[in-house]
Amino acid sequence: NRSSDLKRLTFKVEVSYMEIYNEKVRDLLDPQRQKHSLKVREHQSLGPYVDGLSKLAVKSFVDIESLMMEGNKSRTVASTNMNLESSRSHAVFTVVMTQTMFDPETQAGHEKVSRISLVDLAGSERAGKSGAEGDRLREGSNINKSLTTLGLVISNLADQSAGKSKKAVFVPYRDSVLTWLLKDSLGGNSKTVMVA
């Protein structure tokens, strides 16, 4: 019966928010560790992850919106010739939904996990037009590197999917922290949508 099925189901929603600044990851939801970079690691079965990134439980959209706004206040921004408040990093807001089904007869549990990653990409820039020097120049260079790598990854995945090459197509996920962390979203069992 339907009501006994529902009693065995539990749901959990957690969020995390990080920025990738100069190819280093910072936790936007933990002000204590915000200025320290976190390590990107790889789990054998779960893939790439950020070690020590906070995951906060939420119960409603209001909770999610509040955490997103709080994290946005910690993003790295600076002034350039092209923009008074230019984002100097990529940001990834992740919502993880876990459904657990428990079978009281066998005492076994089964989990289904869904992940939604909302990514705010910093815009590419030309050093001459932006007037970038010193830190701004290094930031712009890292932004351009990760955007170029993202383009290569998408292009190589498209070639792989279309069967354009007889040889295996190399996908350079590890060439950028952004593409390495988004590996499952870009090339795994996923749907990816880009909005410009």
Side-chain angles (χ1 to χ4, degrees):
N1 96 25
R2 181 105 173 110
S3 64
S4 64
D5 286 345
L6 289 176
K7 287 179 186 172
R8 294 184 228 155
L9 284 177
T10 58
F11 299 91
K12 175 175 67 174
V13 180
E14 296 173 305
V15 299
S16 61
Y17 199 11
M18 69 179 121
E19 79 171 343
I20 301 168
Y21 173 73
N22 283 335
E23 290 296 295
K24 296 190 184 319
V25 178
R26 295 181 180 170
D27 190 337
L28 293 175
L29 297 179
D30 186 352
Q32 305 295 324
R33 285 190 284 179
Q34 193 231 348
K35 294 299 174 196
H36 298 34
S37 61
L38 302 173
K39 299 261 186 234
V40 178
R41 304 204 186 277
E42 183 172 14
H43 187 275
Q44 228 173 357
S45 58
L46 301 176
Y49 70 97
V50 178
D51 194 19
L53 183 66
S54 22
K55 293 177 188 165
L56 304 176
V58 293
K59 294 187 184 284
S60 68
F61 175 74
V62 173
D63 293 347
I64 292 172
E65 184 180 37
S66 172
L67 289 170
M68 190 180 284
M69 289 172 64
E70 197 59 39
N72 282 340
K73 293 176 188 172
S74 300
R75 293 242 356 235
T76 304
V77 294
S79 178
T80 67
N81 288 349
M82 297 182 73
N83 194 341
L84 287 174
E85 200 170 277
S86 174
S87 172
R88 309 312 296 160
S89 66
H90 305 302
V92 182
F93 188 87
T94 304
V95 181
V96 178
M97 294 158 283
T98 306
Q99 172 190 332
T100 306
M101 181 180 232
F102 180 73
D103 186 345
E105 291 175 14
T106 63
Q107 295 294 304
H110 175 72
E111 280 189 350
K112 287 183 185 178
V113 179
S114 296
R115 177 184 323 273
I116 299 172
S117 295
L118 304 172
V119 183
D120 179 18
L121 298 172
S124 65
E125 25 181 84
R126 293 195 173 144
K129 283 189 177 181
S130 67
E133 296 176 345
D135 286 345
R136 300 295 87 75
L137 184 61
R138 190 176 76 240
E139 292 164 355
S141 173
N142 281 310
I143 289 166
N144 290 344
K145 173 191 170 199
S146 62
L147 292 174
T148 300
T149 303
L150 178 61
L152 275 171
V153 165
I154 292 169
S155 177
N156 289 4
L157 286 170
D159 289 350
Q160 190 177 59
S161 176
K164 287 189 178 179
S165 175
K166 292 178 184 171
K167 291 192 244 174
V169 177
F170 174 71
V171 181
Y173 291 113
R174 288 182 178 231
D175 288 0
S176 163
V177 172
L178 176 70
T179 52
W180 185 232
L181 286 173
L182 294 177
K183 179 182 178 187
D184 288 340
S185 297
L186 294 167
N189 178 17
S190 65
K191 301 285 184 202
T192 303
V193 177
M194 296 182 84
V195 180

